[in-house]
Amino acid sequence: MSAESAMTTHTQSAPAHAAKSDQSGDVHSAFLDDKIELPNLPEVAWKVREAIEDPDISVDKIAQIVQNDPAIAARLVQVANSPLYCGLTKVENLRMVIGRLGLNATQSLVTLLAVKQLFRAKTALIKTRFKVLYEHSTSVAALCTAVADRLPGLDRERACLCGLLHDIGVIPILTRADKQPDFFTTPEQLEQTIVELRTHTGSWVLQQWSFDGEMLEIVREARNWNRDMIGKADYCDVVNCALLLKQAMDGDSDNVVDIHDIPLGSKLAESGLVIVSYKDFIDEAKDIIDSIRGSLN
């Protein structure tokens, strides 16, 4: 899919298999039956992705693309000089940044920084809800980075991106509520709709953005504590671990599923990460969590 075609305003009808509420006249059925406007991935992220698919692409070409979005370019330089990536010398231009990060990490970080542009609204209620969503998503992204750093074979930037996008399906729902405030009669109805539909809408968003099957599975399997796949821990396991850690960070320890009681705990341990307690892990990873959150905010 080209950047030009992918960025065209797009609506998508819900597939026939999408779940609907049994309640008569329920807003969820109306929402699913209607045309859903999906957000477009910011242009700079599309163009960097397309360019990196070219085996002959140069660092200079990638730098030229990123420079067309000054805000993203400035943030990318800032991130490259953060404690997470900082080398012996400070990098001051995009060519040096990309050389330090590598093409794949650059692509992931540009997407991370660009997606923030989607968390916008006009009405006060939805502005507040977008702020809550972004805080949640960036915290989970930071926790994903900390978890992936302790699992051999996993890439921290991809893990971070997985964390940021796991609830991307909430954005079309909030956008709809922002444009049509009367569509949801109460905040509780909005929250119920988010819980019921974020998986479906998230899948549609990532399909439009041409993300791979692994990323789609993360959206579909997030919060599935019974997930038990053969093999070493993957990015979906990382996201689910981060979600449990986020609940613990929020002071909801009494209601957090014990990771030792679900397949995830054993899978992580077999892959090299033993979580004795959520608090211990969070305390040990505090620096990297704070650094990632700071880079994304």
Side-chain angles (χ1 to χ4, degrees):
M1 181 184 295
S2 69
E4 182 178 358
S5 62
M7 290 184 291
T8 303
T9 300
H10 178 78
T11 60
Q12 179 164 341
S13 297
H17 65 269
K20 295 186 180 183
S21 171
D22 293 330
Q23 299 174 6
S24 60
D26 201 328
V27 67
H28 310 118
S29 295
F31 188 94
L32 285 168
D33 286 336
D34 202 353
K35 295 288 186 178
I36 299 174
E37 183 178 348
L38 303 181
N40 297 312
L41 187 63
E43 182 177 6
V44 64
W46 271 112
K47 289 188 173 180
V48 168
R49 180 190 295 181
E50 284 197 324
I52 287 177
E53 289 177 355
D54 179 357
D56 298 322
I57 196 65
S58 67
V59 169
D60 287 336
K61 178 61 178 177
I62 299 296
Q64 290 172 11
I65 294 170
V66 179
Q67 283 171 346
N68 289 327
D69 190 318
I72 296 293
R75 292 300 304 279
L76 196 63
V77 173
Q78 180 183 11
V79 170
N81 285 305
S82 72
L84 284 173
Y85 299 99
C86 192
L88 297 176
T89 58
K90 183 178 180 179
V91 291
E92 298 180 349
N93 61 66
L94 282 175
R95 194 180 188 289
M96 293 172 66
V97 166
I98 297 167
R100 170 175 291 178
L101 298 175
L103 294 183
N104 289 333
T106 297
Q107 177 185 348
S108 292
L109 287 169
V110 167
T111 303
L112 280 165
L113 297 171
V115 165
K116 184 178 182 181
Q117 301 172 17
L118 304 177
F119 291 76
R120 295 175 177 173
K122 296 179 180 179
T123 61
L125 174 64
I126 304 304
K127 278 184 180 179
T128 299
R129 189 58 180 81
F130 262 125
K131 183 178 180 181
V132 170
L133 174 63
Y134 193 71
E135 189 282 331
H136 168 79
S137 298
T138 53
S139 294
V140 172
L143 288 162
C144 282
T145 306
V147 173
D149 270 353
R150 290 158 173 77
L151 289 169
L154 295 184
D155 178 77
R156 60 156 53 179
E157 286 79 20
R158 182 166 177 82
C160 190
L161 184 61
C162 291
L164 188 71
L165 297 182
H166 79 281
D167 264 351
I168 195 70
V170 180
I171 289 181
I173 301 171
L174 293 181
T175 300
R176 177 67 174 273
D178 189 48
K179 292 182 177 179
Q180 293 181 271
D182 296 335
F183 195 85
F184 299 97
T185 56
T186 65
E188 291 77 16
Q189 189 181 54
L190 173 59
E191 293 306 319
Q192 184 180 355
T193 302
I194 287 172
V195 170
E196 292 191 6
L197 299 186
R198 62 188 168 197
T199 297
H200 298 295
T201 53
S203 295
W204 302 335
V205 169
L206 294 187
Q207 285 171 10
Q208 175 176 292
W209 291 358
S210 299
F211 274 92
D212 56 36
E214 183 178 52
M215 192 70 77
L216 286 168
E217 182 181 7
I218 288 166
V219 168
R220 292 167 180 160
E221 295 293 315
R223 302 178 181 87
N224 176 9
W225 312 130
N226 293 317
R227 182 176 185 268
D228 189 12
M229 304 297 290
I230 297 173
K232 292 187 177 181
D234 58 16
Y235 290 103
C236 190
D237 294 317
V238 169
V239 171
N240 278 333
C241 180
L243 286 166
L244 292 173
L245 290 164
K246 178 62 169 64
Q247 284 183 267
M249 282 180 64
D250 290 342
D252 194 22
S253 299
D254 292 339
N255 296 316
V256 180
V257 174
D258 189 332
I259 199 167
H260 304 104
D261 294 338
I262 58 177
L264 178 60
S266 298
K267 173 72 85 59
L268 291 174
E270 291 169 0
S271 302
L273 172 60
V274 177
I275 296 182
V276 178
S277 76
Y278 295 131
K279 183 180 184 303
D280 287 347
F281 181 92
I282 293 167
D283 289 344
E284 291 172 4
K286 185 179 184 303
D287 288 344
I288 188 172
I289 292 169
D290 290 345
S291 183
I292 291 290
R293 291 180 66 180
S295 298
L296 296 176
N297 290 316

